[in-house]
Amino acid sequence: MSRRQIIMFKITKIQKRLRRHHRVRAKISGTKECPRLCVFRSNQHIYAQLIDDVAGKTLVAVSDLDLDKSKTEDGGVSRTIKNQKPKMAIAIGSSKIQIKNKKGTKEIELKGKSATAFAVGKLIAEKSLSKKIKQVIFDRGGYLYHGRVMALAQGARSGGLKF
């Protein structure tokens, strides 16, 4: 093969992520009792949905577009759920999560998009608990488990979901 032919077959980042996603999806599947928590993130937004793969239906879907963002006095961003009762409001200026690793427990402060992802995780947990879904299978969608994907998972766990 010449160099020109090799360049034509270059695999993009998106194709690599989709390959990882298909590899994981071959092993996991969601049911009505234990649906799959699927995550998709773009550069600006993050989406999460609970999917029953047996019936082929989405049970719950949430994104950061469902959150109302407003500036706080200290310069942070507060996120609350749009069109919901006050008891469902999640106000997060900056949230802290604990991460356990080999060296011990570490506390990380979330800001910006990660704080938004944490709020989305809490929101999907509340909506799924209202539909009496407590156990899920986490599908990270081919993304690495860090940053916004990890914050969403931690938010769902702190909201009451088990996986």
Side-chain angles (χ1 to χ4, degrees):
M1 271 192 196
S2 69
R3 185 164 186 226
R4 176 178 270 169
Q5 290 172 329
I6 293 172
I7 292 174
M8 288 176 54
F9 294 115
K10 187 171 182 178
I11 299 171
T12 65
K13 284 183 180 181
I14 296 170
Q15 289 171 328
K16 288 179 183 179
R17 184 190 70 79
L18 289 175
R19 281 184 181 179
R20 286 191 302 269
H21 183 56
H22 290 301
R23 191 168 54 237
V24 171
R25 281 287 294 119
K27 299 173 188 170
I28 65 171
S29 178
T31 62
K32 187 169 184 168
E33 296 80 28
C34 186
R36 177 170 55 99
L37 173 59
C38 183
V39 176
F40 176 77
R41 66 173 177 84
S42 67
N43 285 340
Q44 293 181 345
H45 302 291
I46 190 156
Y47 307 86
Q49 55 185 352
L50 294 178
I51 301 171
D52 175 9
D53 289 316
V54 176
K57 294 195 176 191
T58 300
L59 305 174
V60 178
V62 175
S63 73
D64 63 343
L65 300 172
D66 299 334
L67 301 175
D68 210 6
K69 299 174 187 173
S70 58
K71 296 265 182 178
T72 59
E73 295 174 3
D74 63 347
V77 178
S78 175
R79 292 153 187 88
T80 54
I81 302 166
K82 289 182 183 177
N83 305 324
Q84 294 292 328
K85 298 175 184 174
K87 69 173 188 164
M88 290 278 289
I90 303 169
I92 299 174
S94 61
S95 51
K96 294 182 180 180
I97 60 171
Q98 289 186 350
I99 298 174
K100 295 178 184 175
N101 58 11
K102 294 177 182 177
K103 297 178 182 177
T105 306
K106 186 165 102 174
E107 195 169 277
I108 296 177
E109 187 174 351
L110 299 176
K111 297 178 183 176
K113 292 180 193 176
S114 294
T116 303
F118 188 83
V120 168
K122 277 197 159 241
L123 179 58
I124 198 159
E126 287 181 9
K127 284 191 174 185
S128 64
L129 290 175
S130 69
K131 291 198 173 195
K132 298 179 181 172
I133 299 170
K134 297 177 184 173
Q135 182 80 24
V136 296
I137 298 170
F138 188 69
D139 177 14
R140 57 189 172 86
Y143 302 107
L144 295 177
Y145 185 80
H146 70 88
R148 289 189 281 160
V149 176
M150 181 184 66
L152 189 138
Q154 293 291 339
R157 281 191 187 104
S158 70
L161 283 181
K162 294 180 181 169
F163 52 93

